[in-house]
């Protein structure tokens, strides 16, 4: 196997060089989470598949992987929902309209939209994990007739941590989608469910042998949810997870995101559970 | 492809020809009691008459009883330093009136000639070619440095105490990837070099060299040299079925055992000619007008390498040693179609506590299936 050692072509895009984007607006979802609408400054638009992510660069601070949380039907803007957990994400959450950032991507594999056609679709999200599945939900709802029963089970730590609350309300008022929400803990003013996401699964409609499950959240939540779906008769090949690892380059150079043989950045982040199930059981791989 | 025999007194012609074509010549030279790769101006800069004594955790130079130019194995440096430098500035960002302009940092267009590239190192370069040029995205820095390299290989005349290229199928004969390859022959009061070309570039250069055409005796001499070196391997890797062996033994107690000795110092990853992991660094000018983004070598032995959600995925040395070794010897096959190890022995020699990758594999093989 010989690789191409030809002269660098001036036409070749530099894999590590971001495109400038302008922050059009920001809105706080919760105390630590912000949704940003970004516009490409080169006028070339932004196309992506639900489930893909970008590398978002903040001037002088750093660059982090963030899933696209916007509508794949809109190429004029790029939407990201970011939770502040450290230096770069805090800087992102402090951005205001008019600020500039750098964007590379989109990168990675997307959610199984074609596979889901004609089938029931169960979307399960935990915490910030609702952001990466939102484009999938929007796709399902926009092409509602192409899918069977569609449902979302969503869990967060407290009612105050719930994302996209207005949108959840409007989806709930639709008759063609089942929305179930739970929290880990809540005050007495919370009338909804308290408990883990998997406790919602018995309530939602799906035909196990004809279902695609889309799961995004902390690794333990994804594993437990996937295993519960399997117990309910869904095959591991029909369950998709979005894996998260430290990432520095998103193009397979930096080595950080390896998960056994996979580079999460380009072989994932979306994987069929079947492919990675064994490895998810080995601690600290 | 053709071949020639050059007398020791004519070897300067090789340096002259390369310099004449504008190459920056890099090769082995002695510095701080070790053989390193650096700029060299002529054969007098080579480690003339030196050899190296290598073992787990130890390296020292020793005088040879002849004046061989290439009578040693590999040192802690590898050609990785030149093609994938320890630190590279990627781009600058100029900020004015809130707008950002991303300016890729110019990559110096140096034409390198590498002199004295060993078979294992040619194999390592072919591996990094696949990582940086052949797996999707193309790395601009690597490609710019790489595409014009004039590669002068050397068939090893001695094996180091930690070498195991034979068991990895990468050496000691240079079989691919060179423009010229030379074999040093010191026998019967002769001191000569058999030069063979491996590319059109090499062929052109060889045509301009002095010397006589190589005959069957000379080729026999090359074969004997390579065979003798092959018989001297300091180590042996049991490489058969190694991917399955390691995948099936991710919970083997040996990982705990090696972790008790490993200092997680990162030496093995820095000296390894195929290790390619990197991280990024950002800085801002004092007036906040310009930010730069750089890339530097990183190592899977550091704690923050795998940090997600405030906790490293691989929090113990056991996790990190397992990641390094299973990546090198198992998942590399899935990712790049070959082992990530070329058997150069550097990680054994330069490990401060002498951890030996071949011994770790042997220990797991001897007791496979045991669970922690
Ligand atoms: C494919 C992918 C998609 C993602 N999508 C989103 C998204 O849509 N919204 C969002 O808010 N976050 C998302 N993340 C997580 C986000 O990338 C991290 O939160 C971010 O990298 C942390 O960087 P930082 O500089 O703010 O924090 P750091 O200062 O680097 O670290 C802060 C804390 O976060 C931990 N951390 C570091 N890297 C990561 C990481 N990759 N993931 C999680 N924790 C990390 C550190 O261990 C540390 O404790 C995604 C990650 C991946 C790999
Ligand atoms: S793993 Fe060790 S022996 Fe193998 S190529 Fe790397 S440094 Fe050389
Ligand atoms: S194996 Fe040796 S060289 Fe590698 S990190 Fe451990 S102590 Fe350092």
């Amino acid at each position: 196997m010989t690789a191409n050692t030809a002269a660098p072509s001036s036409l070749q895009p530099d894999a590590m060089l971001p495109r400038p984007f302008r922050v059009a607006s920001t809105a706080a979802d919760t105390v630590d989470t912000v949704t940003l609408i970004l516009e490409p400054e080169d006028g070339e638009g932004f196309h992506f598949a639900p489930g893909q992510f970008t590398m978002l660069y903040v001037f002088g601070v750093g660059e982090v992987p963030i899933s696209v949380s916007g509508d794949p039907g809109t190429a004029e803007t790029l939407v990201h929902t970011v939770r502040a957990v450290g230096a770069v994400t805090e800087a992102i959450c402090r951005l205001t309209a008019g600020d500039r950032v750098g964007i590379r991507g989109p990168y990675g594999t997307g959610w199984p939209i074609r596979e889901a056609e004609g089938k029931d679709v169960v979307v399960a999200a935990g915490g910030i994990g609702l952001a990466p599945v939102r484009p999938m939900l929007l796709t399902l709802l926009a092409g509602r007739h192409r899918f069977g029963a569609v449902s979302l089970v969503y869990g967060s730590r407290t009612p105050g941590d719930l994302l996209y609350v207005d949108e959840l309300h409007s989806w709930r008022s639709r008759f063609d989608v089942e929305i179930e929400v739970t929290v880990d803990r809540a005050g007495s003013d919370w009338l909804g469910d308290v408990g883990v996401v998997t406790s919602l699964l018995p309530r939602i409609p799906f035909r196990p042998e004809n279902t695609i499950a889309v799961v995004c959240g902390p690794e333990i939540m994804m594993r437990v949810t996937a295993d519960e779906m399997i117990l309910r008769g869904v095959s591991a090949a029909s369950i998709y997870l979005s894996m998260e690892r430290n990432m520095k380059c998103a193009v397979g150079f930096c080595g950080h995101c390896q998960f056994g043989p996979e580079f999460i950045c380009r072989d994932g982040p979306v994987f069929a559970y079947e492919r990675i199930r064994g490895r998810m059981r080995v601690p600290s791989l | 492809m053709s071949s020639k025999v050059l007398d020791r007194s004519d070897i300067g012609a090789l340096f002259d020809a390369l310099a004449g074509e504008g190459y920056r010549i890099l090769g082995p030279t002695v510095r701080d009691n070790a053989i390193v790769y650096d700029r060299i101006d002529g054969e007098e800069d080579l480690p003339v008459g030196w050899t190296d004594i290598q073992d787990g955790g130890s390296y020292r130079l020793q005088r040879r009883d002849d004046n061989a130019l290439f009578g040693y194995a590999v040192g802690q440096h590898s050609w990785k330093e030149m093609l994938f430098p320890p630190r590279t500035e990627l781009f600058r960002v100029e900020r004015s009136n809130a707008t950002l302009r991303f300016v890729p940092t110019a990559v110096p267009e140096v034409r390198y000639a590498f002199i004295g590239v060993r078979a294992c190192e040619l194999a390592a370069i072919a591996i990094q070619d696949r990582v940086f040029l052949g797996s999707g995205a193309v790395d601009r820095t690597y490609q710019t440095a790489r595409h014009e390299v004039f590669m002068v290989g050397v068939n090893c005349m001695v094996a180091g105490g930690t070498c195991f290229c034979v068991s990895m199928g990468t050496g000691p004969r240079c079989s691919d990837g060179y423009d010229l390859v030379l074999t040093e022959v010191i026998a019967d009061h002769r001191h000569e070099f058999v030069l063979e070309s491996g590319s059109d570039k090499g062929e052109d250069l060889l045509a301009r060299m002095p010397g006589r055409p190589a005959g069957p005796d000379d080729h026999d001499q090359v074969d004997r040299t390579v065979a003798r070196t092959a018989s001297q391997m300091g180590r042996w890797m049991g490489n058969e079925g190694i991917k399955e062996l390691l995948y099936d033994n991710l919970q083997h107690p040996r990982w705990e055992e090696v972790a008790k000795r490993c200092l997680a110092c990162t030496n093995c990853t820095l000296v390894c000619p195929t290790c390619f992991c990197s991280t990024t660094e950002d800085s801002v000018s004092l007036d906040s007008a310009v930010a730069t983004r750089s890339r530097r070598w990183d190592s899977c032995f550091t704690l923050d390498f795998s940090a997600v959600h405030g906790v490293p995925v691989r929090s113990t040395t056991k996790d990190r040693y397992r990641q390094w070794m299973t990546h090198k010897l198992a998942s590399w096959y899935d990712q790049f179609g070959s082992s990530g190890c070329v058997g150069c022995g550097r990680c054994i020699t330069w490990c401060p506590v002498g951890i030996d990758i071949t011994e770790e594999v042997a220990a797991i093989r001897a007791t496979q299936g045991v669970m922690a």
Side-chain angles (χ1 to χ4, degrees), chain B residues 96-251:
Chain B
S96 62
N97 304 326
T99 64
L100 299 183
R101 209 165 76 85
F102 293 90
V103 186
T105 304
V107 184
E109 300 216 12
V110 184
R111 297 172 74 215
Y112 290 116
F114 293 173
I115 300 236
V117 186
R118 309 303 174 128
C120 63
E121 301 186 302
L122 289 169
I125 292 169
I127 286 174
Q128 288 214 326
D129 285 351
R130 293 202 285 278
V131 173
F132 289 120
L133 307 174
S135 305
V138 167
D139 186 68
R140 187 173 60 101
T141 316
Y142 186 91
Q143 189 179 37
T144 304
R146 172 76 178 92
H147 84 280
E148 284 212 277
V149 173
F150 191 100
M151 210 67 86
V152 181
V154 167
N155 289 323
C156 290
M157 66 192 291
V158 289
T162 56
C163 288
F164 56 99
C165 61
V166 169
S167 51
M168 298 311 295
T170 55
R173 185 195 287 269
C174 297
S175 56
D176 202 8
Y178 56 82
D179 295 298
L180 276 181
V181 61
L182 52 91
T183 309
E184 188 166 12
V185 177
I186 303 179
D188 317 325
H189 305 291
R190 286 185 295 140
H191 189 171
E192 296 174 333
F193 294 89
V194 181
L195 259 69
E196 299 162 87
S197 61
S199 71
D200 293 343
K201 263 196 306 191
E203 186 79 17
D204 286 350
L205 203 90
L206 190 63
R208 286 184 277 126
M209 291 285 110
R212 59 177 170 85
D217 286 352
D218 299 305
H219 290 296
D220 284 352
Q221 188 59 255
V222 172
D223 292 347
R224 277 199 300 280
T225 302
V226 171
R228 192 183 57 227
T229 305
S231 72
Q232 298 170 342
M233 288 288 125
R235 296 287 197 278
W236 181 267
M237 173 74 90
N239 204 42
E240 207 176 304
I242 196 162
K243 184 174 115 176
E244 294 70 24
L245 176 75
L246 296 183
Y247 280 169
D248 291 346
N249 286 280
L250 294 172
Q251 317 258 35

Side-chain angles (χ1 to χ4, degrees), chain B residues 52-67:
Chain B
D52 46 14
I53 309 296
Q54 303 198 32
D55 202 349
S58 97
Y59 177 95
R60 81 195 145 75
L61 290 189
Q62 185 173 294
R63 276 279 167 207
R64 291 173 58 91
D65 52 18
D66 59 22
N67 278 325

Side-chain angles (χ1 to χ4, degrees), chain B residues 261-268 301 321 347 350-353 355:
Chain B
R261 289 174 281 136
C262 175
L263 312 172
C265 70
T266 78
N267 268 13
C268 49
F301 279 93
Y321 188 87
C347 58
W350 298 96
C351 174
V353 293
I355 292 173

Side-chain angles (χ1 to χ4, degrees), chain A:
Chain A
M1 209 189 333
T2 39
N4 170 28
T5 54
S9 147
S10 54
L11 296 173
Q12 199 147 41
D14 183 341
M16 296 299 280
L17 195 71
R19 288 166 63 190
F21 275 61
R22 181 179 165 277
V23 179
S25 67
T26 70
D29 292 289
T30 72
V31 286
D32 62 5
T33 305
V34 172
T35 292
L36 304 100
I37 299 177
L38 309 172
E39 292 167 351
E41 293 204 274
D42 54 18
E44 288 186 21
F46 187 88
H47 299 272
F48 72 101
Q52 286 192 303
F53 67 96
T54 75
M55 293 301 282
L56 201 168
Y57 168 85
V58 182
F59 181 82
V61 185
E63 190 186 49
V64 289
I66 302 290
S67 300
V68 185
S69 68
D71 186 345
T74 314
E76 293 76 43
T77 55
L78 164 62
V79 182
H80 278 312
T81 303
V82 182
R83 187 161 136 212
V85 299
V88 182
T89 47
E90 275 163 17
I92 295 170
C93 290
R94 280 196 303 269
L95 293 169
T96 55
D99 285 342
R100 307 300 207 276
V101 295
I103 294 285
R104 292 190 293 130
Y107 295 115
T109 52
W111 296 115
I113 292 168
R114 190 151 301 145
E115 292 83 340
E117 285 190 16
K119 298 191 175 163
D120 297 341
V121 186
V122 177
V123 178
I128 186 77
L130 188 58
V133 297
R134 183 170 175 265
M136 176 72 178
L137 285 163
L138 294 174
T139 304
L140 293 168
L141 296 178
R144 187 63 196 83
H145 59 281
R146 284 156 47 208
F147 307 95
V150 171
S151 36
L152 166 70
V153 291
Y154 172 42
S156 79
R157 285 171 298 181
T158 70
D161 292 312
L162 291 169
L163 297 179
Y164 317 134
V165 175
D166 293 343
E167 199 162 40
L168 288 172
H169 278 298
S170 78
W171 289 340
R172 261 201 170 150
S173 65
R174 292 174 66 137
F175 295 106
D176 57 357
V177 52
E178 189 75 25
I179 307 286
E180 297 285 348
V181 176
T182 183
V183 297
D184 293 339
R185 52 182 195 282
S188 51
D189 53 342
W190 171 252
L191 302 176
D193 284 281
V194 175
V196 293
V197 170
T198 42
S199 65
L200 303 174
L201 292 176
R203 264 190 247 162
I204 56 162
F206 62 90
R207 297 160 292 162
E209 67 292 345
N210 208 19
T211 289
I212 290 285
V214 161
V215 190
C216 190
E219 204 164 311
I220 176 76
M221 168 269 175
M222 293 196 288
R223 210 172 78 195
V224 171
T225 306
D227 288 342
E228 182 65 26
M229 294 300 287
I230 288 174
L231 281 179
R232 292 176 177 276
V234 180
S235 87
S238 301
I239 303 170
Y240 292 80
L241 319 180
S242 183
M243 291 296 289
E244 195 180 315
R245 281 294 182 272
N246 193 311
M247 264 178 213
K248 299 294 180 199
C249 77
V251 290
F253 294 155
C254 82
H256 281 253
C257 71
Q258 289 175 78
F259 182 49
E262 331 279 6
F263 286 94
I264 304 269
C265 70
R266 61 161 194 243
D267 304 319
V270 174
F271 291 98
Y273 189 44
E274 189 182 38
R275 179 159 162 194
I276 54 173
R277 191 181 179 187
R279 257 171 287 133
M280 286 183 81
R281 280 171 171 64
V282 180
S284 309
L285 206 61

